[in-house]
Amino acid sequence: MNWATSPQTGGQQTGGSLKAMKDKSSQAEKEANEASALKTAGPEGEITAGFLLEKSAKTNGWSKRWFVLNEKTGKLGYTKKQEEKHFRGVIALEECNIEEIPEEEEPPAKSLKDKNANGPDSGKAPSLVFKITSKIPYKTVLKAHNAVVLKADSTADKAEWINKISKVIQARGGHVRVAESGHTMRQSLSDGSLDTMARKPADPEEEL
């Protein structure tokens, strides 16, 4: 009896435990993705990558793009697909500011009445949209555009993108404007990161 049954039960047990391990790892990955779907790489985690929606200046429509941020070089590049090796466009963040903006899904002419008809819920939803603009008003940020409007898939993704891009921009003398509960980031954050930036406005000029 033992000789006949032990190999079978043993095989079933190892197979079952491997399956359980795979299930657990996939669950952990799902939970991590819910928190933030962004991926990090590099020896110091200086590379951040993930999908963002880019707003078309011509059509006002959204296109999904794979963005890669390199905190060391201060560059934000994008491709149409994750598998592509060459960037279709690169933003030099040292020349940019970042700003959180309200989400506007429809043209302004129609949206006022439609938003009122939809009720207050649409207004309460947190905006997932932020904008990167040039520090020099007439200078383009990416190709022929003087502003790039981006939308994250979730509030967690947006928070991580803004946090990491803001660090790069602040380190290079740019400005960050992020609204939180009706206040600007400078008023609501107490970690002093923006205060240090405000105390040293001449640093970028000295570096130049």
Side-chain angles (χ1 to χ4, degrees):
M1 289 287 290
N2 290 339
W3 179 84
T5 56
S6 58
Q8 291 175 359
T9 54
Q12 286 169 359
Q13 283 171 1
T14 52
S17 64
L18 283 171
K19 264 191 174 183
M21 282 170 67
K22 282 183 181 177
D23 290 343
K24 280 181 185 176
S25 64
S26 63
Q27 279 177 3
E29 282 175 12
K30 280 181 184 176
E31 286 171 8
N33 286 342
E34 283 172 10
S36 172
L38 308 189
K39 297 179 180 179
T40 54
E44 297 172 20
E46 70 273 12
I47 308 292
T48 302
F51 283 108
L52 284 168
L53 294 173
E54 181 188 10
K55 191 171 189 177
S56 167
K58 291 181 180 178
T59 64
N60 279 339
W62 296 94
S63 302
K64 197 169 189 178
R65 299 284 183 263
W66 178 256
F67 279 83
V68 179
L69 170 67
N70 187 325
E71 292 182 51
K72 282 195 171 178
T73 62
K75 307 284 187 189
L76 178 66
Y78 79 90
T79 59
K80 281 193 175 180
K81 294 180 182 177
Q82 185 176 346
E83 300 81 27
E84 290 181 23
K85 293 182 180 178
H86 301 289
F87 291 130
R88 291 176 180 262
V90 177
I91 301 170
L93 294 174
E94 62 187 16
E95 301 172 354
C96 298
N97 298 326
I98 187 170
E99 179 183 357
E100 185 180 11
I101 58 174
E103 196 166 335
E104 294 179 6
E105 294 290 347
E106 299 173 25
K110 284 185 178 181
S111 63
L112 288 175
K113 287 184 181 178
D114 291 345
K115 280 183 182 175
N116 290 338
N118 290 338
D121 291 341
S122 58
K124 284 184 180 177
S127 170
L128 300 175
V129 182
F130 57 96
K131 180 169 69 172
I132 297 173
T133 56
S134 174
K135 285 191 280 190
I136 305 168
Y138 57 84
K139 194 168 183 180
T140 57
V141 176
L142 181 66
K143 297 179 180 176
H145 307 299
N146 58 6
V148 177
V149 179
L150 302 171
K151 182 178 179 181
D153 286 338
S154 68
T155 50
D157 283 8
K158 179 195 167 189
E160 190 167 346
W161 275 119
I162 287 182
N163 180 40
K164 294 197 171 182
I165 293 173
S166 296
K167 281 182 183 176
V168 174
I169 287 176
Q170 286 175 26
R172 289 160 172 79
H175 295 287
V176 177
R177 283 194 291 177
V178 183
E180 291 184 5
S181 306
H183 298 284
T184 63
M185 193 172 177
R186 188 169 294 179
Q187 292 168 328
S188 59
L189 281 188
S190 57
D191 60 4
S193 60
L194 275 163
D195 294 334
T196 54
M197 182 192 78
R199 280 199 297 269
K200 297 187 293 184
D203 279 0
E205 295 173 9
E206 288 170 9
E207 287 171 8
L208 289 172

